[in-house]
Amino acid sequence: MEHLLNPLVKKVEISGIRKFYNLVSGNQNMISLTIGQPDFPTPDHIKTAAKQAIDDNYTVYTHNAGDIELRKAVSAYISGKYQLQYDPDQEIIVTSGASEAIDITFRTILTPGVEVILPGPVYPGYEPIIKMCGATPIYADITQTGFRMTADIIEELLTPNTRCIVLPYPSNPTGVTLTAEELQDIAALIKDKEIFILADEIYSELVYEKKHTSIASYLRQQTIVLNGLSKSHSMTGWRIGFLFAPAVIAQEILKVHQYNVTCASSVSQSAALAAVTDGYDDATPMKMEYAKRRDYVYNRLLDMNLTVIKPDGAFYFFIQLPEGFNTSLSFCLELVEKAGVAVVPGNAFSELGEGYFRLSYAYSMDTLIEAMNRMETFLSNKTK
């Protein structure tokens, strides 16, 4: 029966991040810096709201777009945080995580033969869905611009088939964000063209030295904004994302969402309501701790003579391979075998990620100290 399966699905591979995580899991002495999983517990007041929802038997279907009280609260949240105005009735959809929001967006806006421009290296969750829609991912090489997707780079890749540009900033895997000026330049380039912007802003609350700016501030009518609570409120397993778009776009995406999951979990929506109201600033103490970890790891990496750009958002470093290693996979496998430290090969983030590896610092300081000590010893032994 295998020959009857959708060939577009058969060509898709499991994420390189998960492949490597699965490869090293179960090793008792392994320090894994592979997964973008906040090590903070979900705040207690959020868990209490979920428990109350269960006790109140709020375990039912909600409106397809999400409970209206939550959508109103999310509208106020996004306005207060980023000065974005979206109508809770027509322009906001509560999704089963930002991953579902990516899926339903692409399935709504893409048709066979169109092209989607992505920065490379990039989170691997976009390409498979693009291909399953019959569209073509076009990677923009950002390795020479400090991992920044600029208007000049985009302009060179535009064709009559360009349907969408993905702007995932702050970035996974690089931790880089774009400035307001860079976003304005991109908006000026794309304005009035029949091209969508998919702005994946799931790390928007984890920006360190400045405030996050959304391209929707400058290009609202063509932009679909994705966000959620996984990173900001340490709620990865609750699977709550938010999609914001002009009504004419959002109401078409809502159809796909309805037939995909019907609605997000009602219990998780109750938790989300607490997160965006009572937990409006829950991300602040986490961000402060991540900043300390970032600075510590950055200084240790520099002491190891590794080439790395200091991230200004998210919780990742994307580090150039040290000399003597031909591939990112060979480096990561040897680091696992000889140092007991797991990081993610750069080629998991497209071919443009080859020559790098990703390290997540969403781990305790004790874990990071031990990991850096092991890595330093490993590299010192390699140069002897």
Side-chain angles (χ1 to χ4, degrees):
M1 300 298 288
E2 185 180 356
H3 67 284
L4 300 177
L5 299 177
N6 185 336
L8 294 177
V9 174
K10 291 181 68 177
K11 290 180 181 178
V12 170
E13 295 188 8
I14 300 298
S15 160
I17 304 172
R18 284 290 171 176
K19 275 185 179 179
F20 209 78
Y21 172 79
N22 294 339
L23 179 67
V24 301
S25 63
N27 188 322
Q28 293 291 327
N29 193 40
M30 186 66 57
I31 296 178
S32 178
L33 306 180
T34 56
I35 300 296
Q37 167 68 56
D39 71 321
F40 298 96
T42 302
D44 286 341
H45 64 95
I46 297 175
K47 293 186 284 188
T48 297
K51 294 171 188 175
Q52 189 63 52
I54 294 171
D55 290 341
D56 291 343
N57 295 313
Y58 191 58
T59 54
V60 296
Y61 294 127
T62 70
H63 188 288
N64 295 131
D67 184 271
I68 187 59
E69 185 180 2
L70 173 57
R71 282 182 281 146
K72 288 179 178 178
V74 170
S75 178
Y77 179 86
I78 206 80
S79 174
K81 291 285 185 181
Y82 315 119
Q83 294 71 59
L84 299 176
Q85 310 301 322
Y86 286 95
D87 174 17
D89 286 316
Q90 298 289 316
E91 298 184 322
I92 299 176
I93 303 172
V94 182
T95 62
S96 296
S99 295
E100 192 232 340
I102 294 169
D103 177 53
I104 60 177
T105 296
F106 280 150
R107 287 203 281 153
T108 301
I109 68 174
L110 300 183
T111 53
V114 302
E115 297 172 349
V116 179
I117 297 175
L118 305 130
V122 71
Y123 170 67
Y126 308 109
E127 179 182 319
I129 303 172
I130 292 168
K131 289 183 173 179
M132 284 190 283
C133 291
T136 302
I138 304 295
Y139 283 102
D141 186 346
I142 57 170
T143 59
Q144 303 305 309
T145 58
F147 300 127
R148 314 181 88 81
M149 184 86 142
T150 66
D152 289 341
I153 292 175
I154 293 171
E155 188 170 22
E156 291 181 2
L157 298 174
L158 293 177
T159 75
N161 292 324
T162 303
R163 178 65 57 82
C164 179
I165 298 164
V166 178
L167 292 180
Y169 290 98
S171 164
N172 173 8
T174 70
V176 169
T177 64
L178 297 184
T179 66
E181 292 75 21
E182 288 168 328
L183 293 170
Q184 287 175 318
D185 289 343
I186 295 171
L189 173 66
I190 303 304
K191 184 175 174 60
D192 298 327
K193 291 182 171 64
E194 293 186 329
I195 296 173
F196 294 103
I197 297 287
L198 176 60
D200 186 345
E201 301 178 3
I202 191 67
Y203 292 97
S204 61
E205 280 297 277
L206 300 181
V207 178
Y208 300 110
E209 277 75 42
K210 56 190 175 185
K211 292 283 288 182
H212 172 74
T213 302
S214 174
I215 193 169
S217 300
Y218 313 114
L219 198 67
R220 187 185 192 279
Q221 293 308 307
Q222 293 166 247
T223 299
I224 300 157
V225 178
L226 310 184
N227 214 312
L229 302 176
S230 290
K231 314 300 182 179
S232 60
H233 290 72
S234 196
M235 293 177 66
T236 53
W238 298 81
R239 308 314 302 136
I240 288 290
F242 306 127
L243 185 151
F244 307 90
V248 67
I249 301 172
Q251 292 307 300
E252 297 303 313
I253 295 175
L254 182 60
K255 297 176 186 177
V256 184
H257 169 72
Q258 174 189 345
Y259 290 112
N260 192 14
V261 299
T262 302
C263 64
S265 157
S266 58
V267 173
S268 292
Q269 288 190 56
S270 294
L273 179 60
V276 298
T277 52
D278 296 338
Y280 185 86
D281 289 320
D282 277 349
T284 300
M286 300 184 205
K287 180 171 69 172
M288 293 172 64
E289 179 60 26
Y290 287 139
K292 293 177 185 176
R293 298 175 187 180
R294 178 200 61 170
D295 292 345
Y296 170 77
V297 173
Y298 180 65
N299 288 327
R300 290 295 303 271
L301 294 173
L302 292 183
D303 289 343
M304 296 178 215
N305 295 315
L306 291 169
T307 301
V308 60
I309 293 173
K310 188 176 185 179
D312 42 20
F315 36 58
Y316 307 105
F317 284 94
F318 205 61
I319 306 157
Q320 193 168 316
L321 292 184
E323 291 184 8
F325 293 93
N326 294 325
T327 67
S328 56
L329 180 60
S330 65
F331 169 79
C332 292
L333 288 173
E334 191 168 343
L335 187 65
V336 163
E337 178 184 354
K338 296 184 177 178
V341 176
V343 292
V344 182
N347 63 357
F349 305 95
S350 83
E351 292 181 357
L352 289 165
E354 183 53 73
Y356 299 84
F357 64 95
R358 191 193 76 172
L359 180 158
S360 169
Y361 55 92
Y363 295 86
S364 72
M365 186 62 83
D366 288 344
T367 298
L368 293 172
I369 290 171
E370 177 62 21
M372 292 302 100
N373 290 341
R374 292 187 186 188
M375 187 180 296
E376 185 173 41
T377 300
F378 168 75
L379 293 175
S380 295
N381 290 337
K382 289 294 291 185
T383 57
K384 288 180 180 178

